[in-house]
Amino acid sequence: AINSLNFEKPDFVQAANKTIDNVVHVKNSSNISNGFSIQDLIFGKKQRHPLIGTGSGVIISPDGYIITNSHVIKNADKIEVTTNNNQTFDAELIGSDDQNDIALLKINSSEVLSHATFGDSDSTQIGEWVLAVGNPFNLNSTVTAGIISAKSRNLDPSGRTTQSYIQTDAAVNPGNSGGALVNTKGELIGINTAIQSQTGSYIGYSFAVPSNIARKVIEDIMEFGVVQYGFLGVTGSSLSSSISKELGVEDTEGFYVNSIEGGSGANSAGIKKGDIIKQIDGISIHKFSDLKGYLNTKRPNDVVSIKLKAGAE
């Protein structure tokens, strides 16, 4: 009976073919001080030596705009980009956002470049097949497969940052940073950013900036020169069994509103202390990183729809 079932198998070949020419190798060259030496005493200047860093990037337009991680090009004096067909270009840094670890580069090519198509990272699901494409250990055009293991993952145990990563088990190693995370259609759903490891190499989990956040960041950089952040105007905490018991509420999932910022959208909408935010634009809110991750895709004056459970008056 099992053999008669028609299981749908992911077409990794098609997704890889759509992606591999969109991903580039990024080399960051910078000069750093070599420390004080006897030559400095004699000649009165410090010796410097080049520091080389490498990573990946994703071409997102036919005229050569490239998205990567800000940490890949941080402190760069020179940025070189090598395409999958071994053409090398000097890249200009258009702008970067350390908060979301996203940077935008530009290269000038006489050819129309193969480029990625953005997918909707909000509609991705846990268990969905994904491919990671990048340049680990300077091994160009490496493709690995996995599934989405979790969404809205915050790696900061303090919970004070605005991280909201897609977690996957696709193998990602040093050099993959800035590369593409794509679905089986070959659509860009994330920018591979970090690994969770005690050794510095892959041991089972990797993390990507969701494409909806990355796309909003680079659109802001292109249009405004800086990144604009949406502000709902609530403070509070993610609910859990222990926190809910402490607050005296039954719900163990959602964002509990503790205070409202005067003059904010939340204040104008009538959200009150004690309310529990359950959804925003149809996206379920289980914890703070769900809420903040979605707000990171919004700008000031954008309108969002909030579904909440009213608190006791």
Side-chain angles (χ1 to χ4, degrees):
I2 293 178
N3 291 334
S4 66
L5 295 176
N6 183 21
F7 289 106
E8 183 180 351
K9 297 180 180 179
D11 188 353
F12 291 135
V13 173
Q14 182 183 17
N17 284 338
K18 281 186 175 182
T19 308
I20 201 164
D21 288 330
N22 305 333
V23 176
V24 298
H25 184 269
V26 178
K27 184 169 76 171
N28 160 7
S29 302
S30 62
N31 289 317
I32 65 170
S33 173
N34 204 20
F36 188 80
S37 67
I38 189 63
Q39 287 87 354
D40 300 328
L41 186 61
I42 297 172
F43 298 108
K45 63 180 180 179
K46 289 189 175 183
Q47 302 297 307
R48 304 181 74 85
H49 68 273
L51 180 67
I52 306 296
T54 61
S56 304
V58 184
I59 304 173
I60 56 170
S61 72
D63 58 344
Y65 281 99
I66 294 170
I67 191 169
T68 185
N69 288 140
S70 61
H71 77 260
V72 169
I73 51 79
K74 196 172 184 65
N75 300 322
D77 294 315
K78 181 180 180 181
I79 302 171
E80 285 186 354
V81 165
T82 303
T83 60
N84 193 40
N85 62 353
N86 294 320
Q87 294 189 67
T88 299
F89 302 88
D90 289 331
E92 176 188 0
L93 175 61
I94 304 300
S96 64
D97 176 48
D98 289 342
Q99 178 170 311
N100 289 298
D101 202 3
I102 292 295
L104 181 65
L105 310 177
K106 178 70 168 65
I107 61 173
N108 294 316
S109 172
S110 59
E111 302 176 4
V112 175
L113 298 170
S114 174
H115 61 283
T117 300
F118 279 94
D120 180 8
S121 55
D122 287 330
S123 67
T124 57
Q125 300 180 65
I126 295 173
E128 180 179 341
W129 284 106
V130 290
L131 292 181
V133 186
N135 304 281
F137 307 115
N138 286 324
L139 300 173
N140 285 6
S141 307
T142 297
V143 180
T144 56
I147 62 169
I148 294 178
S149 306
K151 296 177 64 175
S152 303
R153 185 68 83 193
N154 188 345
L155 302 183
D156 180 1
S158 72
R160 291 190 296 267
T161 65
T162 59
Q163 295 174 346
S164 186
Y165 293 127
I166 295 174
Q167 178 181 327
T168 83
D169 63 355
V172 169
N173 280 289
N176 271 109
S177 289
L181 186 72
V182 301
N183 59 21
T184 55
K185 297 177 183 178
E187 297 171 332
L188 184 68
I189 60 168
I191 300 297
N192 297 316
T193 298
I195 58 175
Q196 186 79 348
S197 171
Q198 295 176 336
T199 64
S201 296
Y202 173 79
I203 58 168
Y205 300 109
S206 56
F207 301 89
V209 177
S211 61
N212 287 5
I213 294 177
R215 184 175 189 174
K216 185 261 182 185
V217 167
I218 59 102
E219 286 175 349
D220 277 5
I221 289 172
M222 293 176 71
E223 185 173 354
F224 307 109
V226 295
V227 180
Q228 299 190 346
Y229 293 105
F231 173 69
L232 186 60
V234 297
T235 61
S237 60
S238 304
L239 291 177
S240 65
S241 179
S242 58
I243 292 176
S244 298
K245 184 177 181 180
E246 183 180 329
L247 293 171
V249 298
E250 295 180 357
D251 297 67
T252 56
E253 286 188 323
F255 183 79
Y256 180 87
V257 177
N258 188 53
S259 66
I260 306 293
E261 184 78 19
S264 66
N267 184 65
S268 300
I271 297 176
K272 297 179 176 60
K273 178 180 179 179
D275 290 347
I276 300 172
I277 297 176
K278 289 293 193 178
Q279 289 186 356
I280 178 168
D281 284 347
I283 305 297
S284 294
I285 304 301
H286 303 288
K287 52 190 181 297
F288 175 68
S289 54
D290 291 324
L291 179 64
K292 188 57 183 175
Y294 187 75
L295 290 176
N296 278 0
T297 69
K298 298 298 176 182
R299 299 183 180 92
N301 297 320
D302 282 351
V303 176
V304 295
S305 175
I306 302 289
K307 182 178 179 179
L308 54 78
K309 181 176 180 180
E313 294 293 337

